[in-house]
């Protein structure tokens, strides 16, 4: 039902591309991730604020996944997760110098959305399980797993932060690519919810 | 002949003494040292977090033991040739300890300062213990970040 409604209204200037929950979660993630990453890398040795930022990232990921099942059409995984052939077909058309006019995530972008949610979930989990053996920055779930598991989590946490940084850079580069090369503004809809 | 045997023995005794302090032994001593540090830290951390009721005497004892431990002559625990490159899978001590010994010594001094601070604070109540614990744990973390590998 929601799908049919969205398809009918997608041409109209008043049509909502991204609902408020998607937008708020997106920008909340920008702030929480930047805080968690920056505090982790450059913050004080007593990492209380990094922990809070990490919990916030975790909560955002959980809410976004729930929203991906119960939210409006463009927010749902079922509406944007596509198979390899659709991804390949979209990727072939990607170099074309015109807007894609995707209503929602395009098949390649969808791959990124799922990927970043998975890596964020892994990163939050590894943080919760890490024990750096400094007795002040021990992940709250480290006490429930083996010592080996806490050290594996610790060994993953930093490389994953680099993976996430690269993903953010790829994401931003894609936005710039769409704007400059394809003449498509993807930022405004993520702020106002509507196409400019 | 007898002289020769005696001479060989005389030479062999110090040689085996040197062999007894193999790189592996040094690593074991170092890990034992940190095991003890960790044990005392754990006692203080449990009180700071409220997992265990605060007790001024116990806290002071942990702090005093940390003080004793950090006053050991630890130079030989960090003998060259005992990094994780020399002994893969046996230690997490990064070669940076020896390559950047000034940086490493700074961290060691930060730990000593934090231990000294803890000694003044541990017996003075939870409100004094908590910030001292933060400084102490921070000293652990700062050194682990740069001088200890994340995994074996």
């Amino acid at each position: 039902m929601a799908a049919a409604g969205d398809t009918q209204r997608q041409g109209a200037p008043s049509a909502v591309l991204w609902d408020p929950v998607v937008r708020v979660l997106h920008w909340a993630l920008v702030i929480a991730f930047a805080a968690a990453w920056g505090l982790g890398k450059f913050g004080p040795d007593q990492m209380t604020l990094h922990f809070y930022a990490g919990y916030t990232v975790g909560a955002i990921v959980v809410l976004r996944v729930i929203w991906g099942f119960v939210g409006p059409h463009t927010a749902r995984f079922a509406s944007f997760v596509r198979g390899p052939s659709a991804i390949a077909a979209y990727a072939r058309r990607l170099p074309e110098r015109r807007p894609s006019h995707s209503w929602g995530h395009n098949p390649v972008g969808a791959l990124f959305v799922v990927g970043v949610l998975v890596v964020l979930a892994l990163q939050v989990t590894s943080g919760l399980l890490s024990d750096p053996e400094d007795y002040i920055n021990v992940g709250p779930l480290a006490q429930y797993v083996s010592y080996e598991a806490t050290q594996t989590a610790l060994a993953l946490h930093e490389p994953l932060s680099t993976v996430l940084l690269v993903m953010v850079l790829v994401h931003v580069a894609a936005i710039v690519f769409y704007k400059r090369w394809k003449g498509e503004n993807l930022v405004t809809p993520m702020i106002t919810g509507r196409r400019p | 002949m007898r002289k020769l045997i005696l001479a060989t023995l005389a030479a062999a005794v110090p040689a085996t003494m040197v062999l007894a302090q193999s790189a592996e032994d040094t690593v074991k001593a170092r890990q034992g040292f940190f095991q003890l540090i960790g044990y005392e830290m754990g006692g203080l951390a449990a009180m700071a977090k409220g997992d265990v009721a605060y007790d001024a005497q116990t806290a002071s004892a942990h702090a005093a033991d940390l003080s004793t431990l950090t006053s050991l002559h630890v130079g030989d625990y960090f003998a060259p040739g005992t990094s994780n490159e020399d002994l893969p899978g046996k230690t997490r001590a990064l070669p940076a300890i020896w390559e950047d010994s000034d940086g490493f010594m700074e961290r060691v001094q930060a730990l000593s300062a934090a231990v000294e601070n803890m000694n003044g604070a541990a017996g003075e109540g939870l409100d004094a213990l908590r910030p001292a614990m933060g400084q102490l744990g921070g000293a652990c973390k700062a050194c682990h970040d740069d001088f200890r590998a994340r995994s074996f």
Side-chain angles (χ1 to χ4, degrees):
Chain A
M1 273 195 318
D6 285 341
T7 314
Q8 279 160 18
R9 285 185 284 107
Q10 72 184 45
S14 64
V16 175
L17 174 55
W18 302 120
D19 68 81
V21 175
V22 165
R23 283 178 277 148
V24 168
L25 289 179
H26 175 270
W27 295 111
L29 180 61
V30 172
I31 295 166
F33 175 77
W37 200 94
L39 286 163
K41 215 64 146 185
F42 308 109
D45 288 332
Q46 205 167 349
M47 305 183 77
T48 312
L49 293 173
H50 170 80
F51 275 50
Y52 288 139
Y55 299 153
T56 309
V57 171
I60 291 166
V61 170
V62 168
L63 289 173
R64 182 63 188 89
V65 170
I66 292 171
W67 201 240
F69 291 102
V70 304
H73 181 66
T74 56
R76 294 200 184 203
F77 294 116
S79 79
F80 61 74
V81 176
R82 307 289 298 276
S85 59
I87 293 166
Y90 185 86
R92 269 196 299 277
R93 294 202 314 272
L94 199 55
E96 291 172 8
R97 194 151 194 189
R98 54 191 169 83
S100 69
H101 290 312
S102 304
W103 189 254
H105 296 297
N106 68 61
V108 173
L111 202 61
F112 177 84
V113 170
V114 173
V116 85
L117 286 173
V118 167
V119 180
L120 282 169
L122 284 173
Q123 180 66 326
V124 170
T125 307
S126 72
L128 291 169
L129 295 175
S130 280
D131 182 0
E133 295 179 278
D134 57 12
Y135 298 89
I136 55 167
N137 302 311
V138 184
L141 302 184
Q143 55 183 307
Y144 303 112
V145 299
S146 69
Y147 174 76
E148 283 71 26
T150 66
Q151 299 310 295
T152 305
L154 183 69
L156 282 172
H157 202 60
E158 215 176 313
L160 282 176
S161 77
T162 308
V163 171
L164 283 167
L165 178 68
V166 170
M167 291 182 102
V168 167
L169 294 175
V170 168
H171 177 57
V172 172
I175 302 295
V176 172
F177 170 76
Y178 271 79
K179 176 80 180 148
R180 294 274 167 82
W181 184 257
K182 294 173 84 71
E184 192 166 12
N185 178 353
L186 301 181
V187 178
T188 303
M190 192 47 84
I191 297 169
T192 66
R194 294 173 168 82
R195 289 249 166 84
Chain B
M1 192 60 189
R2 176 173 289 189
K3 263 187 187 170
L4 181 64
I5 290 168
L6 281 175
T8 312
L9 269 177
V13 169
T16 42
M17 278 174 69
V18 170
L19 279 175
Q21 307 285 351
S22 68
E24 280 86 353
D25 289 333
T26 299
V27 165
K28 275 185 206 154
R30 188 164 67 211
Q31 286 168 345
F33 170 71
F34 283 114
Q35 198 83 46
L36 286 170
I37 297 237
Y39 189 77
E40 307 296 346
M41 288 291 295
L44 289 168
M47 280 189 227
K49 279 189 289 190
D51 294 345
V52 165
Y54 172 76
D55 177 71
Q57 246 183 336
T58 313
S60 299
H62 284 309
D65 286 351
L66 279 176
S67 203
T68 306
L69 286 166
T70 50
S71 70
L72 295 184
H73 300 90
V74 297
D76 51 343
Y77 302 167
F78 291 93
T82 59
S83 76
N84 67 341
E85 271 180 17
D86 302 308
L87 299 160
K90 292 214 163 61
T91 172
R92 291 156 81 176
L94 290 172
I97 291 170
W98 296 272
E99 287 158 9
D100 177 21
S101 55
D102 288 350
F104 183 68
M105 280 314 295
E106 268 175 41
R107 307 300 158 86
V108 173
Q109 274 151 17
L111 174 65
S112 296
V115 167
E116 199 173 318
N117 182 46
M118 176 57 88
N119 256 291
E124 303 300 313
L126 257 187
D127 290 339
L129 174 73
R130 286 215 177 96
M133 190 66 212
Q135 188 189 343
L136 195 47
C140 297
K141 180 202 181 281
C143 197
H144 288 180
D145 277 354
D146 295 334
F147 296 102
R148 189 179 81 145
R150 298 290 180 275
S151 54
F152 280 100

